[in-house]
Amino acid sequence: MSVSSLIADASPLVQGVMLVLLLASLVSWFFIVLRAGSLRGDVRDLQRFLQHFRDGDGISELRADPRSAVAQIFNAGMDEYSHLSAHAGVPPEAVLEGAQRAMRMAIAHQEERLDQALPFLATVGSTSPYIGLFGTVWGIMNSFIGLSGAQQATLAAVAPGIAEALIATAIGLFAAIPAVIAYNRLSSRSEMLLSRYLSFADEVLARLHRRLHTAKA
């Protein structure tokens, strides 16, 4: 017996379960690689932008690539700040609140983007073992049904059916374990990145607050 021969000789339902699990595993790895690369890029952009932001003299002159997440947050706050401060009757508190609200909305948009693949990974991690177990139970049940019609019950007669059924459980675990690990890792890094976005927004607000009150003085 070999793994390939056991899969080829499995019942159509068990083969369907294996195929579903393999497809789920492939899609999970696609999302894992995609989201991990995106998070690395976001962290790199944030560090680069913070360095320019803290080293720069003028905040209004600091404009970065609008495709980066941190630049979108910064530009949203600065656009709202410029729009409100252009009106003489708007108090400084309202200007700062508007800039803060714009940056919070931009951060919420980034949160939705960071969480796009996580529900799928959570679903694969939680359901794949049970889907594989269903294939295993079905395969073992068919093995014992076939054994009931045999004249002599031996381990050799039932072993291939049980072995092919257990492959479904193995594939389910193969799909679930990386998905669970990636979900925990990616969600933790996403929360860390969102926390840094919020800290950056507070830093921008502090700089704008200083500028407004310096201009008023």
Side-chain angles (χ1 to χ4, degrees):
M1 292 188 299
S2 63
V3 175
S4 59
S5 63
L6 289 174
I7 294 176
D9 295 336
S11 65
L13 180 60
V14 177
Q15 288 179 342
V17 168
M18 295 178 184
L19 179 61
V20 169
L21 292 173
L22 287 175
L23 290 176
S25 179
L26 291 176
V27 177
S28 296
W29 277 107
F30 172 78
F31 282 132
I32 290 170
V33 174
L34 183 66
R35 298 306 306 148
S38 178
L39 279 172
R40 282 195 299 269
D42 290 337
V43 172
R44 184 171 57 251
D45 291 339
L46 177 60
Q47 292 174 346
R48 186 185 303 115
F49 192 88
L50 282 176
Q51 182 178 358
H52 291 303
F53 175 76
R54 291 166 180 170
D55 294 342
D57 296 329
I59 187 174
S60 60
E61 292 79 12
L62 184 62
R63 293 288 180 171
D65 186 358
R67 292 174 297 179
S68 65
V70 63
Q72 293 178 16
I73 296 170
F74 176 78
N75 292 337
M78 287 304 303
D79 290 342
E80 188 68 13
Y81 170 82
S82 301
H83 175 72
L84 294 177
S85 60
H87 298 78
V90 181
E93 292 77 11
V95 175
L96 292 176
E97 289 178 0
Q100 182 184 30
R101 183 167 54 252
M103 285 190 289
R104 291 296 177 96
M105 291 175 62
I107 292 174
H109 175 73
Q110 297 302 324
E111 184 177 6
E112 293 179 0
R113 180 183 64 86
L114 292 172
D115 291 344
Q116 283 180 352
L118 295 182
F120 179 82
L121 293 177
T123 302
V124 172
S126 60
T127 60
S128 292
Y130 297 103
I131 296 175
L133 183 61
F134 170 74
T136 298
V137 171
W138 186 269
I140 292 176
M141 182 180 66
N142 286 336
S143 296
F144 281 109
I145 291 176
L147 187 64
S148 63
Q151 295 181 351
Q152 184 177 5
T154 62
L155 183 60
V158 73
I162 295 178
E164 71 185 27
L166 291 175
I167 293 176
T169 298
I171 297 177
L173 295 176
F174 175 79
I177 292 174
V180 171
I181 295 175
Y183 173 81
N184 292 330
R185 178 65 175 171
L186 293 176
S187 61
S188 176
R189 294 187 65 185
S190 297
E191 291 176 2
M192 178 273 295
L193 187 60
L194 290 172
S195 177
R196 296 185 65 180
Y197 284 154
L198 292 172
S199 299
F200 169 72
D202 292 338
E203 192 171 345
V204 173
L205 287 174
R207 188 84 66 89
L208 293 177
H209 182 273
R210 188 162 57 246
R211 166 185 282 197
L212 279 175
H213 286 76
T214 302
K216 294 295 181 181

